C-alpha cells in the first residue's frame, strides 16, 4: 500500500474511532442523566411538628401494617386519634367471625328476582338476621395495640407532649419520633419487617429508667361492628377471648390469642433490662426500670413460629434494602425544574401515594378500600374497584405486586364457578364484597353490581403485557376464559331489537337507580366488549379457535345511548343532564380507564366530558374520581384539564400530610380512602407513560406548553 494512502487510512480510521467514541460517551452521558431516585423520594419525607389526628404514619409490607401516632407507637388512640385516622395493627391473614348462634345460612338472606322468565335467588336482604351476620363475617382481626403509657398505666395525653419532631423516612421505611414527655426527652424508632408480620421499636428515654414510661401491649376482643366503617375496638368483652402466656424467658415471651375459633400467636423479644408484667385481662407491660433504652421486636403469626425473630437492627436494615429496591426498580416521574407552581405538590402526591400502595395494597389478598390503615365495609374487599386498586402496580413497573393479590382470584375460581352455576349462568361470577373466604356478602346493592366481572380479564391482560409469554397465558387463562364465559352468558339476546343487552336486575356504577329499571349502562357495555375482545385475543395467542358465541355477543352487543350529542349513563335515564345538582361522571371511564373501542365515538365522548366538566367543574373530580377524570381528559387531548384534575384542592381531593385522601361521601368515617391514591397513580402513569397508538411525545398526557419539565423512567403503557 502507498505510504500516503496508508497515512490517510490511519487518519480516517482515527477520526472514525474518535467520532464513534464520542458518540458512545455522549450516549452514555444521556443515559446517565436518569432520575435521582434517592433525591426524588427523600425530598418528600413526612415531617410532623405537632399532633394531627389525620396524620398518623404507617410502616408495613402489604400483608401487615402498623400505624403510629407522634409517640412512634399507638399511645393516644383512645383519646385523640379515634377522631381522625385510627391507630391499627392489621394483616391480610387474620380473620374472625362472631359465633353463628342462630345457625343462619346465606340462603336466609336471599330473595327470588325475575331474570327473563326465570327466578334467581339473590342475597339482597341485608337487613335480615342472616344478611346482617354474613355482611359482618368474616372480618379482619385487630391484632393488638402497642403503646407507651405513663408510670401509673394511664395514656399519654396531648398536654404531656412538647417539642415534637417526627420523620417518616420513605427511602428506608423508618419512622423516627422525638419529643418531650412532661419535660423529658423520648426518642422512638419504628420499623416493619419487609417479609413477616413484625413491627420493631427502639425506645430511648430516662423515663424508662425511672419507671415512668412503659411499653404496653393490649388486645381487644374484636370490633364493634354496629359501625361498618372505622369501627371502634371492643375492649369490654374480656371473657370472650383468651390471651395466654405460653412461654416466658428473660428477654422474650410467647402469647397465644384465641378469639372464638380464631387463633394467632404474638412473640415479643426485647433487648435491654426489662420485666414482662401482666396488668389485668389482655394487658401487659414491659417494665424497664433501670434501663435507658429498649429494643422490642413483636411478631404476629397464624402459627407458632419456633425461630427467634430477627433483631431490631436486622429488621431496620432489611426494611431499608427492601424499600430501596422498591424505589429504584419501579417507575418514577420527576418534575424538578418545572415552572408550574403546582409541580412540587403533584410530585409529593405521587411519592406518598406510592409509599401507601406498598404498605397497604401490596399483599396476597385484594385490599379493602382503606387498606391496612383502618376498617371499612367490615374489612371486605370490594371487587368492582379492584382494577383501580391494582392496575397502577403494572403501570409503575411493579407487576409482581399486582400478581401477588391477583392470585387470590385463581384460588377462589371454584367458588365463582359454583356461584354462576347456581344463578344459571356459565363461567365465573366473582363476589362483589368478600372476605378471605371468597363468599359474596349480602346487600341491597351487592348482588346487582356487574362492573366487577370484567376486571380480572383486564388485569390479566396487563400481566401479559409485562410478561408476554406462554407461561403467563397458561397461568391465568382459566380466570380469563371463565370470566368471559360469564360475560357472554349474562348478556341477554333481545330478539325484538336484535342485540345483546345488559338489563335488570343490575346496578350501574353510581348505584343510585333501582336495580329493576337500569338497562344498558354505558360503562358496563364497553367493559363487556373489551373483556370479550381481550379473551378472544388470549385464545388466538394460545393457538385456539375464536369462541363463536363470544363473537356473536361482540357483533350484536348494544351500543351506549347518545342523546343531544352526549352519552347517557344508561339507556333508561334519558333525562340525566336535566337533573338538578349535577350527575354522575362514571360513564367517562368508558374512554380513559378503558382504551378506545368501536363502541365509543371520541367526538361524542369529548362533548360528554366537557359538558360534565363545565357543569360541575372540579367538584366532579374528587377522591377516586381524580383518576377517572384525569385519564379521560388525557386520552381526549384535554391536557390542561387533566392536570387541573390531578392538582385539585377541593375537599376530599386534598392529600393530607401523610398522603391519605378522605372519601367524598364519608370523610369522617373513611378518612384514609386509598382508591383515591391508586386511581390518582393510574392517571399520572397514563399521562406520563402514554398508551397504545399514541405518539412518542414525552409525557403525552401533560401540558406541552413549556411549564412542565418531566422526566419519566421505567413506566408501562396502558392499552
Amino acid at each position: 500500500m502507498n505510504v500516503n494512502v496508508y497515512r490517510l487510512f490511519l487518519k480516517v480510521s482515527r477520526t472514525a474511532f474518535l467520532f464513534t467514541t464520542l458518540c458512545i460517551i455522549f450516549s452514555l452521558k444521556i443515559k446517565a442523566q436518569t432520575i435521582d431516585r434517592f433525591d426524588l423520594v427523600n425530598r418528600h419525607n413526612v415531617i410532623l411538628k405537632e399532633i394531627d389526628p389525620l396524620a398518623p404514619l404507617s410502616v408495613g409490607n402489604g400483608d401487615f401494617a402498623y400505624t403510629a401516632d407522634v409517640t412512634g407507637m399507638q399511645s393516644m388512640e383512645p383519646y385523640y386519634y379515634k377522631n381522625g385516622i385510627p391507630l391499627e395493627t392489621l394483616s391480610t391473614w387474620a380473620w374472625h367471625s362472631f359465633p353463628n348462634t342462630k345457625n343462619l345460612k346465606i340462603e336466609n338472606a336471599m330473595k327470588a328476582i325475575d331474570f327473563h322468565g326465570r327466578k334467581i335467588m339473590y342475597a339482597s336482604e341485608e337487613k335480615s338476621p342472616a344478611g346482617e351476620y354474613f355482611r359482618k363475617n368474616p372480618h379482619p382481626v385487630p391484632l393488638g395495640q402497642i403503646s407507651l403509657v405513663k408510670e401509673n398505666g394511664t395514656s399519654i395525653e396531648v398536654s404531656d407532649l412538647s417539642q415534637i419532631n417526627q420523620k417518616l423516612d420513605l427511602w428506608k421505611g423508618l419512622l423516627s419520633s422525638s419529643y418531650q414527655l412532661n419535660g423529658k426527652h423520648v426518642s422512638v424508632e419504628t420499623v416493619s419487617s419487609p417479609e413477616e408480620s413484625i413491627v420493631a421499636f427502639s425506645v430511648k428515654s430516662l423515663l424508662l429508667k425511672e419507671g415512668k414510661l412503659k411499653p404496653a401491649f393490649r388486645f381487644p376482643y374484636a370490633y364493634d361492628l354496629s359501625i361498618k366503617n372505622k369501627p371502634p375496638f371492643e375492649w369490654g368483652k374480656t371473657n370472650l377471648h383468651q390471651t395466654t402466656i405460653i412461654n416466658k424467658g428473660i428477654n422474650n415471651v410467647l402469647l397465644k390469642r384465641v378469639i372464638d375459633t380464631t387463633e394467632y400467636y404474638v412473640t415479643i423479644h426485647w433487648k435491654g433490662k426489662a420485666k414482662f408484667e401482666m396488668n389485668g385481662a389482655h394487658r401487659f407491660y414491659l417494665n424497664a426500670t433501670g434501663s435507658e433504652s429498649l429494643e422490642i421486636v413483636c411478631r404476629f403469626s397464624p402459627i407458632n413460629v419456633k425461630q427467634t425473630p430477627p433483631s431490631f437492627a436486622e429488621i431496620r436494615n432489611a426494611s431499608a434494602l427492601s424499600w430501596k429496591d422498591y424505589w429504584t426498580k419501579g417507575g418514577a416521574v420527576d418534575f424538578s425544574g418545572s415552572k408550574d407552581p403546582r409541580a412540587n405538590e403533584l410530585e409529593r402526591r405521587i411519592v406518598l401515594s406510592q409509599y401507601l400502595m406498598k404498605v397497604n395494597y401490596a399483599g396476597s389478598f385484594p385490599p379493602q378500600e382503606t387498606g391496612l390503615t383502618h376498617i371499612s365495609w367490615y374489612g371486605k374487599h370490594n371487587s368492582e374497584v379492584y382494577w383501580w386498586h391494582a392496575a397502577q402496580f403494572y403501570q409503575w413497573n411493579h407487576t409482581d405486586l399486582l400478581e401477588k393479590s391477583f392470585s387470590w382470584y385463581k384460588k377462589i375460581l371454584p367458588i365463582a364457578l359454583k356461584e354462576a352455576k347456581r344463578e344459571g349462568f356459565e363461567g365465573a361470577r366473582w363476589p362483589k364484597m368478600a372476605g378471605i373466604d371468597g363468599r359474596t356478602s349480602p346487600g341491597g346493592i351487592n348482588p346487582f353490581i356487574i362492573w366487577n366481572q370484567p376486571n380480572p380479564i383486564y388485569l390479566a391482560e396487563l400481566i401479559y403485557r409485562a410478561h408476554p409469554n406462554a407461561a403467563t397465558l397458561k397461568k391465568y387463562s382459566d380466570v380469563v376464559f371463565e370470566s368471559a364465559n360469564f360475560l357472554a352468558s349474562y348478556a341477554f339476546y333481545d330478539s325484538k331489537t336484535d342485540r345483546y343487552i345488559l338489563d335488570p336486575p343490575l346496578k350501574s356504577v353510581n348505584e343510585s337507580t333501582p336495580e329493576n329499571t337500569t338497562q344498558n349502562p354505558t360503562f358496563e357495555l364497553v367493559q363487556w366488549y373489551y373483556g370479550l375482545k381481550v379473551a378472544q385475543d388470549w385464545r388466538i395467542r394460545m393457538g385456539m379457535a375464536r369462541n363463536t358465541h363470544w363473537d356473536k355477543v361482540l357483533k350484536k352487543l348494544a351500543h351506549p345511548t347518545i342523546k343531544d350529542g352526549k352519552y347517557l349513563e344508561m339507556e333508561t335515564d334519558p333525562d340525566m343532564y336535566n337533573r338538578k345538582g349535577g350527575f354522575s361522571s362514571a360513564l367517562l371511564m368508558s374512554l380513559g380507564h378503558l382504551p378506545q373501542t368501536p363502541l365509543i365515538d371520541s367526538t361524542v365522548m369529548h362533548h360528554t366530558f366537557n359538558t360534565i366538566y363545565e357543569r360541575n367543574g372540579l367538584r366532579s373530580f374528587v377522591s377516586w374520581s381524580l383518576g377517572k377524570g384525569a385519564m379521560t381528559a388525557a386520552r381526549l387531548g384535554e391536557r390542561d384539564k387533566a392536570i387541573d384534575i390531578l392538582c385539585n384542592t377541593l375537599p376530599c381531593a386534598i392529600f393530607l400530610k401523610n398522603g391519605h385522601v378522605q372519601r367524598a361521601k364519608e370523610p369522617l368515617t373513611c378518612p384514609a380512602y386509598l382508591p383515591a391514591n391508586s386511581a390518582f397513580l393510574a392517571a399520572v402513569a397514563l399521562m406520563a407513560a402514554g398508551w397504545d397508538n399514541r405518539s412518542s411525545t414525552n409525557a403525552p398526557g401533560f401540558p406541552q406548553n413549556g411549564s412542565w419539565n418531566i422526566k419519566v423512567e421505567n413506566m408501562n403503557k396502558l392499552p
Side-chain angles (χ1 to χ4, degrees):
M1 181 183 292
N2 183 283
V3 174
N4 291 329
V5 173
Y6 181 70
R7 287 173 178 168
L8 179 61
F9 172 79
L10 288 176
K11 186 176 181 180
V12 172
S13 298
R14 290 192 190 101
T15 302
F17 175 78
L18 180 61
F19 178 78
T20 302
T21 302
L22 289 172
C23 287
I24 293 172
I25 292 172
F26 183 70
S27 174
L28 289 173
K29 186 176 180 181
I30 291 175
K31 189 174 182 180
Q33 292 177 345
T34 55
I35 296 172
D36 185 333
R37 302 293 185 94
F38 180 81
D39 183 61
L40 169 65
V41 172
N42 278 280
R43 59 178 175 253
H44 299 292
N45 288 330
V46 182
I47 307 293
L48 298 179
K49 298 289 187 178
E50 61 185 4
I51 301 170
D52 185 344
L54 287 173
L57 299 169
S58 301
V59 294
N61 57 35
D63 278 311
F64 171 80
Y66 176 89
T67 300
D69 57 34
V70 292
T71 70
M73 292 189 177
Q74 298 165 334
S75 309
M76 306 180 73
E77 186 272 337
Y79 300 101
Y80 202 64
Y81 282 77
K82 68 178 182 179
N83 296 318
I85 297 175
L87 308 175
E88 298 263 15
T89 309
L90 287 169
S91 74
T92 58
W93 50 262
W95 292 78
H96 168 253
S97 290
F98 297 120
N100 186 359
T101 56
K102 297 181 180 179
N103 296 316
L104 299 167
K105 297 180 180 179
I106 189 71
E107 290 78 11
N108 301 139
M110 290 183 175
K111 178 181 178 181
I113 297 178
D114 181 76
F115 184 83
H116 299 287
R118 63 184 174 89
K119 299 294 184 181
I120 298 178
M121 299 296 291
Y122 286 108
S124 59
E125 303 294 280
E126 69 175 75
K127 297 300 183 182
S128 67
E132 293 250 350
Y133 180 83
F134 288 106
R135 276 174 68 79
K136 296 176 180 178
N137 297 287
H139 50 265
V141 172
L143 292 176
Q145 188 181 80
I146 308 173
S147 62
L148 288 170
V149 297
K150 293 185 290 188
E151 181 177 12
N152 55 3
T154 59
S155 296
I156 295 172
E157 298 181 12
V158 175
S159 59
D160 296 328
L161 299 178
S162 61
Q163 299 184 34
I164 294 167
N165 186 11
Q166 187 175 53
K167 174 184 176 181
L168 176 59
D169 186 326
L170 301 168
W171 187 259
K172 298 178 180 178
L174 178 67
L175 180 61
S176 300
S177 309
S178 174
Y179 47 93
Q180 296 280 324
L181 176 61
N182 292 324
K184 292 193 177 181
H185 183 255
V186 181
S187 67
V188 179
E189 287 189 332
T190 311
V191 69
S192 168
S193 164
E195 301 294 337
E196 296 185 72
S197 296
I198 294 177
V199 62
F201 309 92
S202 172
V203 185
K204 297 179 181 179
S205 178
L206 283 173
L207 293 171
L208 286 174
K209 186 176 182 179
E210 296 169 358
K212 296 179 179 179
L213 186 66
K214 300 176 183 178
F217 306 83
R218 192 158 65 128
F219 302 95
Y221 167 56
Y223 294 100
D224 176 2
L225 290 181
S226 62
I227 301 172
K228 70 176 180 181
N229 293 335
K230 210 177 79 170
F233 297 133
E234 181 60 81
W235 294 110
K237 298 177 180 178
T238 57
N239 61 320
L240 296 183
H241 59 124
Q242 296 85 45
T243 307
T244 307
I245 297 176
I246 302 298
N247 289 312
K248 186 177 179 181
I250 296 175
N251 67 341
N252 61 84
V253 67
L254 172 64
L255 305 177
K256 182 179 181 180
R257 295 274 298 132
V258 179
I259 312 168
D260 299 313
T261 58
T262 298
E263 295 182 2
Y264 67 96
Y265 294 83
V266 185
T267 306
I268 304 169
H269 278 246
W270 59 91
K271 181 180 178 181
K273 183 181 178 182
K275 293 181 180 180
F276 190 79
E277 301 174 345
M278 190 170 184
N279 185 259
H282 316 292
R283 182 180 178 118
F284 307 87
Y285 296 142
L286 266 180
N287 188 338
T289 301
S291 178
E292 291 185 26
S293 65
L294 275 179
E295 291 181 358
I296 306 167
V297 175
C298 186
R299 170 197 272 154
F300 301 90
S301 174
I303 60 173
N304 183 2
V305 180
K306 302 295 184 181
Q307 294 86 353
T308 301
S311 67
F312 173 83
E314 290 171 329
I315 294 168
R316 193 179 191 271
N317 291 336
S319 174
L321 289 173
S322 176
W323 279 102
K324 180 181 178 181
D325 186 69
Y326 176 75
W327 293 119
T328 55
K329 290 185 178 179
V333 179
D334 186 326
F335 296 118
S336 56
S338 295
K339 298 176 184 177
D340 193 299
R342 300 171 294 179
N344 186 68
E345 169 59 16
L346 182 59
E347 194 179 87
R348 183 187 77 92
R349 293 180 173 196
I350 294 169
V351 172
L352 292 184
S353 293
Q354 288 179 288
Y355 180 82
L356 292 173
M357 291 298 98
K358 177 68 163 60
V359 169
N360 289 278
Y361 273 16
S364 53
F365 174 70
Q368 59 174 318
E369 295 184 16
T370 45
L372 295 172
T373 300
H374 69 80
I375 296 297
S376 59
W377 286 271
Y378 310 111
K380 303 292 182 69
H381 165 57
N382 286 282
S383 62
E384 72 274 23
V385 198
Y386 184 41
W387 187 96
W388 293 98
H389 291 327
Q392 49 81 27
F393 281 131
Y394 155 80
Q395 294 174 275
W396 292 85
N397 209 22
H398 292 295
T399 307
D400 57 316
L401 300 182
L402 162 58
E403 289 194 77
K404 193 174 179 182
S405 61
F406 191 74
S407 63
W408 182 75
Y409 277 79
K410 283 185 64 68
K411 182 179 180 179
I412 68 163
L413 179 58
I415 299 172
L417 289 168
K418 185 177 179 180
E419 180 64 11
K421 185 177 182 180
R422 184 191 67 78
E423 294 182 0
F425 298 113
E426 297 178 9
R429 180 155 200 171
W430 304 107
K432 187 275 182 199
M433 174 179 156
I436 194 71
D437 57 357
R439 175 193 49 74
T440 194
S441 299
I445 293 171
N446 294 354
F448 311 117
I449 289 289
I450 63 170
W451 63 287
N452 60 332
Q453 301 304 322
N455 275 340
I457 300 177
Y458 196 165
L459 290 170
E461 178 70 0
L462 297 184
I463 295 170
Y464 178 78
R465 287 168 69 93
H467 308 295
N469 52 51
T472 301
L473 295 171
K474 181 179 179 181
K475 186 174 183 179
Y476 299 116
S477 59
D478 51 357
V479 171
V480 170
F481 294 156
E482 296 300 354
S483 296
N485 280 332
F486 176 81
L487 299 186
S489 175
Y490 185 89
F492 181 77
Y493 178 68
D494 180 18
S495 58
K496 294 180 181 179
T497 58
D498 189 28
R499 59 181 185 161
Y500 283 91
I501 60 175
L502 303 179
D503 64 343
L506 69 85
K507 289 269 190 184
S508 69
V509 177
N510 74 21
E511 303 177 358
S512 64
T513 56
E515 66 274 5
N516 58 355
T517 62
T518 300
Q519 181 168 298
N520 288 332
T522 291
F523 174 56
E524 286 86 336
L525 285 171
V526 183
Q527 273 192 307
W528 247 243
Y529 184 93
Y530 184 66
L532 288 172
K533 183 247 179 222
V534 169
Q536 291 285 37
D537 291 343
W538 275 54
R539 289 182 67 89
I540 293 168
R541 291 168 187 162
M542 297 180 72
M544 303 167 67
R546 296 179 67 89
N547 184 299
T548 56
H549 182 56
W550 299 356
D551 272 342
K552 288 180 182 178
V553 178
L554 283 168
K555 183 178 179 181
K556 293 191 174 185
L557 185 64
H559 281 226
T561 304
I562 300 172
K563 183 178 181 181
D564 299 329
K566 302 182 291 291
Y567 285 112
L568 299 178
E569 184 176 1
M570 62 194 73
E571 189 177 279
T572 46
D573 188 12
D575 299 320
M576 70 170 278
Y577 293 101
N578 298 322
R579 284 200 301 270
K580 293 181 180 180
F583 32 76
S584 173
S585 61
L587 61 85
L588 296 180
M589 293 189 291
S590 305
L591 180 59
H593 156 61
L594 291 168
Q596 182 71 62
T597 63
L599 268 63
I600 291 295
D601 181 298
S602 59
T603 301
V604 176
M605 181 56 77
H606 210 144
H607 189 198
T608 305
F609 171 81
N610 283 329
T611 299
I612 293 173
Y613 193 94
E614 291 163 10
R615 170 79 172 266
N616 297 327
L618 292 175
R619 288 177 300 165
S620 287
F621 305 110
V622 298
S623 194
W624 75 280
S625 292
L626 287 165
K628 72 182 181 188
M631 293 178 84
T632 300
R635 289 205 197 239
L636 292 172
E638 293 280 4
R639 298 185 180 96
D640 289 325
K641 290 178 181 176
I643 199 68
D644 288 345
I645 291 170
L646 289 185
C647 298
N648 193 353
T649 57
L650 290 174
C652 297
I654 295 171
F655 285 60
L656 303 171
K657 296 172 187 176
N658 51 15
H660 281 297
V661 181
Q662 295 174 290
R663 187 171 190 253
K665 293 181 180 179
E666 299 162 292
L668 296 180
T669 56
C670 282
Y673 191 64
L674 287 155
N677 301 90
S678 53
F680 169 84
L681 286 177
V684 171
L686 176 85
M687 293 165 64
W691 54 95
D692 291 353
N693 303 317
R694 177 69 194 175
S695 68
S696 57
T697 303
N698 180 58
F702 284 88
Q704 306 290 311
N705 56 14
S707 61
W708 290 90
N709 182 52
I710 306 172
K711 295 178 184 177
V712 181
E713 195 172 270
N714 208 21
M715 307 283 285
N716 290 325
K717 290 183 178 182
L718 279 183

